[in-house]
Amino acid sequence: MIVDERMVTYIRSLEVPESAVIEAIEQEALRDRVPIIRKEMQSFLKVLLMIKRPMRILEVGAAVGFSSILMSEYMPEGGHITTIENYDKRIPIARANFKRAGKEEQIDLIEGDALEVMHGLEGPYDLIFVDAAKGQYIHYLPEVMRLLGIDGVLVSDNVLQEGDIIESRFAVERRNRTIHSRMREYLYELKHHDQLQTSIIPLGDGVALSVKRSDI
């Protein structure tokens, strides 16, 4: 945890429940140990969506559909979400969750490798939410930039790796070193990309919030 646990517990205690179906999907995901966005990230996304009011959202990493359904509740009427998932076992669960939430028309799930799927998509998207394989973020970036509209927002979740991001690669477990080095490269690119303005926020497990600049 990158933020004091007592502080996180307090902030989470202030949250207001969502609809019964969203709460149920969240509890089922937690029970089954499916990684979904944390409470504080949920709150951050909701506020961001109400400020930005995106009509077209691309999500990279659907899991069981929780974040797509949550976002669909806070985007403007008539908005649409395209989400990508490659894990066979989670795809039918996500589709079932979209149906039970009444979101089948608003959310389109595309099966397959995220990078391959993105190659076949056409932008611009107003908001892109990346929450997939952490070692692939740096490889997604060129396609993300192609698909993201001017003044569009890129949200990259789980970028601080429970605090390991600040450690030397030799202090990180050997099996995590490739992900560690790729994420550090990704964050450097976000901060130094001439088309992006980026803030890295120690929220949840770290979120990078980027805007595609209109003055370039």
Side-chain angles (χ1 to χ4, degrees), residues 15-216:
E15 293 295 337
V16 177
E18 292 293 328
S19 66
V21 67
I22 290 177
E23 290 289 325
I25 292 169
E26 180 180 31
Q27 290 307 309
E28 290 162 10
L30 293 173
R31 178 199 67 201
D32 297 334
R33 298 185 178 181
V34 175
I36 59 171
I37 55 174
R38 307 178 192 204
K39 284 290 188 185
E40 55 271 34
M41 185 60 187
Q42 294 173 35
S43 201
F44 178 80
L45 263 184
K46 290 187 287 188
V47 172
L48 180 62
L49 287 165
M50 294 183 75
I51 293 171
K52 177 62 179 173
R53 297 185 60 78
M55 294 301 294
R56 295 190 76 207
I57 294 176
L58 173 63
E59 178 185 51
V60 184
V64 293
F66 175 77
S67 51
S68 296
I69 295 169
L70 183 75
M71 288 192 291
S72 73
E73 290 289 314
Y74 291 88
M75 66 190 303
E77 185 176 353
H80 188 270
I81 298 173
T82 299
T83 186
I84 306 168
E85 181 56 50
N86 196 35
Y87 187 25
D88 291 343
K89 292 183 178 179
R90 290 180 183 158
I91 290 168
I93 300 173
R95 292 194 189 282
N97 285 336
F98 297 153
K99 184 175 182 178
R100 71 195 274 203
K103 300 293 183 178
E104 295 165 286
E105 299 299 319
Q106 196 174 0
I107 304 171
D108 181 28
L109 189 153
I110 303 177
E111 303 177 30
D113 175 80
L115 195 55
E116 292 178 7
V117 170
M118 281 192 282
H119 283 321
L121 296 178
E122 293 295 329
Y125 288 92
D126 305 307
L127 185 145
I128 298 179
F129 179 45
V130 179
D131 186 18
K134 308 304 172 280
Q136 299 302 313
Y137 282 23
I138 188 64
H139 300 311
Y140 297 154
L141 190 56
E143 282 301 298
V144 165
M145 293 303 301
R146 180 182 69 84
L147 294 168
L148 189 63
I150 297 297
D151 295 323
V153 173
L154 166 62
V155 183
S156 309
D157 200 14
N158 300 315
V159 296
L160 297 183
Q161 301 182 326
E162 299 291 349
D164 279 353
I165 199 72
I166 63 173
E167 303 293 343
S168 158
R169 76 182 298 268
F170 298 106
V172 176
E173 290 185 34
R174 184 181 296 273
R175 62 190 175 90
N176 293 329
R177 287 178 184 173
T178 298
I179 295 174
H180 177 266
S181 61
R182 287 181 181 178
M183 185 58 77
R184 288 177 69 115
E185 181 185 359
Y186 179 71
L187 293 178
Y188 183 90
E189 286 296 321
L190 291 185
K191 291 294 288 185
H192 292 82
H193 199 293
D194 61 8
Q195 285 187 284
L196 294 174
Q197 188 67 47
T198 297
S199 176
I200 301 169
I201 307 165
L203 174 81
D205 191 26
V207 57
L209 181 65
S210 310
V211 178
K212 189 171 183 180
R213 297 171 57 170
S214 59
D215 57 346
I216 300 298

